[in-house]
Amino acid sequence: MDFVFKFPVVRGVQAKKEYYIAMVPLKMISRLFPDNEEYVLPEFRAQRKLNEPRVPVISKYIIENRDNYVFSALAASIDGKFSYKPNVDNENTGVLEVSMDAHFLINDGQHRKAAILEAIKEDESLGNETISIVFYEDKGLSRSQQIFTDLNKNAVKTSNSIAELYDSRDSLAVTTRNAINGNEFLNAYTDKEKDILGKYSSNLFTLNTFYTANRYIFPVGEIKNRKDAEKFLKKYWNAVAQNMTQWNELQKKELSKIDLRENYIATQGIVIQALGRVGRYFYDNPCLDMEQVLISLRTINWKRNAPKWRFRAIRENGRIITNKNAAILIANEIKRELGLPLSEDENLAEEKFKKNTTIK
């Protein structure tokens, strides 16, 4: 090998096969992994097709979080000649020499790689930062495809709830969890890790349910003052919790969780979303005495078999309706009970609903 890349590396062993970890400057990524736009059938490549819309999203994440972005390692196979030269004092650290005629095939991280290249175009100083690359010896297409499968097949996507629990950049995530933590009842019965509750779960809500509901109050990008937003959400959800009759009966042990789940809709995710829509009205009309108006929540019949919820929240087979239109229609009924006017789109949804139910 006359001309080589030299990487200071740490050597490791998995499944009796050596691999090497190197810290590589970001500006080297384009040289190691040049773009190849030629289309190749899936069965003849070792990686999925690049999902191009994902690239600017990841690139934006790097640029907007210039001082605290985090990336995991890229994984690549070396297709060509290479040799490892250990240090004298430690055989597991040394220099990996790779022929410049060799090819590097990405097994995991192609979207990160593409996003890095886009980000460097906007901020060249990123080029001096580094990313770790795990190098494997290329054993042919079949082995490279298997590496890709092994790295991705067993990866588990985090739930939305736990992502919102840990996210400190998303203002709505921060204000939502603070609002929930600030209410004794909601904090006690909100699962902050799962998005779907089991039949016998000790919880009634998920953090993601409230995050979704609060998105109606604060659409994407609308939170201008986190402190004010959090103050409003705490006040609103506290008032809701105080006036939801079945929630209070549960807290006083006058109603069981099983009875609450099976016979009422008061804890259903779509109802919480509908309450989010109602919350938006109060946010847009700060002169209203919100806490006084919400006392009327106590008079609402939340029983699953109540005629008012038929086709609005409950299907003919008795199951909950969970689409966006249901959130509007349930919110309409809540607003009617509270004496609040409907918006133009809510009126349109109501007219369409009445027309369809009349036909049925």
Side-chain angles (χ1 to χ4, degrees):
M1 296 188 294
D2 293 332
F3 299 97
V4 297
F5 292 107
K6 293 186 177 182
F7 303 99
V9 297
V10 175
R11 180 179 64 171
V13 176
Q14 285 183 352
K16 300 179 181 178
K17 298 179 181 67
E18 291 187 351
Y19 66 95
Y20 310 92
I21 303 173
M23 296 298 163
V24 178
L26 298 185
K27 61 188 176 185
M28 283 291 296
I29 297 298
S30 60
R31 290 194 62 189
L32 299 179
F33 308 106
D35 288 328
N36 183 3
E37 297 182 358
E38 180 183 356
Y39 178 73
V40 180
L41 289 171
E43 58 267 37
F44 297 116
R45 61 175 186 256
Q47 179 60 280
R48 62 190 145 195
K49 191 175 184 293
L50 187 71
N51 183 358
E52 294 186 4
R54 284 188 61 193
V55 176
V57 174
I58 303 172
S59 178
K60 182 180 178 183
Y61 159 73
I62 302 172
I63 297 298
E64 292 186 351
N65 299 282
R66 179 65 178 80
D67 295 328
N68 60 357
Y69 71 92
V70 179
F71 268 166
S72 55
L74 305 179
S77 295
I78 303 172
D79 179 14
K81 295 180 179 180
F82 69 90
S83 64
Y84 172 68
K85 296 184 177 180
N87 292 328
V88 175
D89 56 341
N90 187 342
E91 63 177 12
N92 289 321
T93 62
V95 175
L96 184 68
E97 295 187 352
V98 183
S99 171
M100 286 190 177
D101 293 327
H103 296 284
F104 297 93
L105 308 174
I106 287 190
N107 301 119
D108 184 56
Q110 63 168 344
H111 293 93
R112 275 167 279 156
K113 166 249 177 178
I116 287 169
L117 297 183
E118 285 295 313
I120 290 176
K121 290 178 183 177
E122 188 169 336
D123 184 353
E124 291 185 359
S125 67
L126 284 165
N128 295 319
E129 298 189 2
T130 60
I131 188 168
S132 55
I133 301 181
V134 182
F135 290 113
Y136 300 92
E137 179 183 2
D138 183 69
K139 297 282 189 179
L141 179 61
S142 179
R143 172 60 180 162
S144 291
Q145 289 175 335
Q146 189 62 56
I147 290 175
F148 170 79
T149 300
D150 290 345
L151 290 171
N152 289 277
K153 185 177 182 179
N154 297 313
V156 179
K157 184 183 181 298
T158 59
S159 68
N160 290 319
S161 288
I162 202 165
E164 289 144 11
L165 178 65
Y166 293 162
D167 197 340
S168 59
R169 295 193 183 99
D170 184 339
S171 296
L172 187 62
V174 174
T175 54
T176 295
R177 64 176 179 258
N178 288 346
I180 299 306
N181 290 342
N183 182 278
E184 182 181 354
F185 175 81
L186 297 180
N187 188 46
Y189 290 103
T190 298
D191 193 311
K192 297 167 186 173
E193 186 169 1
K194 298 176 183 175
D195 289 339
I196 300 174
L197 299 178
K199 183 177 180 180
Y200 302 106
S201 173
S202 59
N203 293 301
L204 300 172
F205 318 100
T206 70
L207 185 61
N208 182 245
T209 297
F210 284 103
Y211 179 87
T212 304
N214 288 340
R215 183 58 77 194
Y216 285 107
I217 303 174
F218 299 105
V220 178
E222 194 168 319
I223 291 184
K224 297 176 182 177
N225 186 307
R226 183 182 291 187
K227 186 176 181 180
D228 289 344
E230 185 175 315
K231 181 179 179 181
F232 175 82
L233 291 180
K234 283 183 176 180
K235 183 178 180 181
Y236 177 65
W237 290 111
N238 282 345
V240 169
Q242 286 172 8
N243 294 294
M244 292 293 282
T245 302
Q246 286 72 39
W247 295 8
N248 287 288
E249 288 177 346
L250 175 68
Q251 200 165 25
K252 295 174 184 176
K253 298 184 178 179
E254 297 172 357
L255 183 71
S256 70
K257 271 187 277 191
I258 293 177
D259 190 14
L260 177 55
R261 283 200 184 105
E262 293 183 354
N263 297 315
Y264 298 88
I265 66 169
T267 60
Q268 294 293 328
I270 197 66
V271 173
I272 305 303
Q273 288 185 42
L275 287 167
R277 290 187 63 89
V278 175
R280 175 69 196 200
Y281 183 83
F282 289 111
Y283 183 74
D284 288 337
N285 297 273
C287 294
L288 276 177
D289 188 343
M290 179 174 70
E291 290 167 306
Q292 184 62 36
V293 174
L294 287 173
I295 289 176
S296 294
L297 285 173
R298 301 176 187 179
T299 64
I300 296 179
N301 182 358
W302 295 106
K303 279 202 169 183
R304 185 183 285 257
N305 61 5
K308 68 171 68 182
W309 303 124
R310 184 173 169 80
F311 301 121
R312 189 181 293 269
I314 305 294
R315 299 184 190 278
E316 197 166 12
N317 61 7
R319 294 185 178 277
I320 296 288
I321 305 172
T322 58
N323 56 42
K324 289 184 178 180
N325 192 56
I328 296 175
L329 294 174
I330 296 168
N332 288 356
E333 182 61 22
I334 296 172
K335 290 177 79 172
R336 187 187 68 78
E337 295 268 6
L338 299 181
L340 302 176
L342 303 184
S343 65
E344 185 177 345
D345 67 317
E346 289 168 342
N347 272 314
L348 288 173
E350 197 66 22
E351 290 172 10
K352 186 176 180 180
F353 169 72
K354 289 177 179 177
K355 181 180 179 181
N356 289 339
T357 51
T358 299
I359 293 174
K360 289 180 181 179

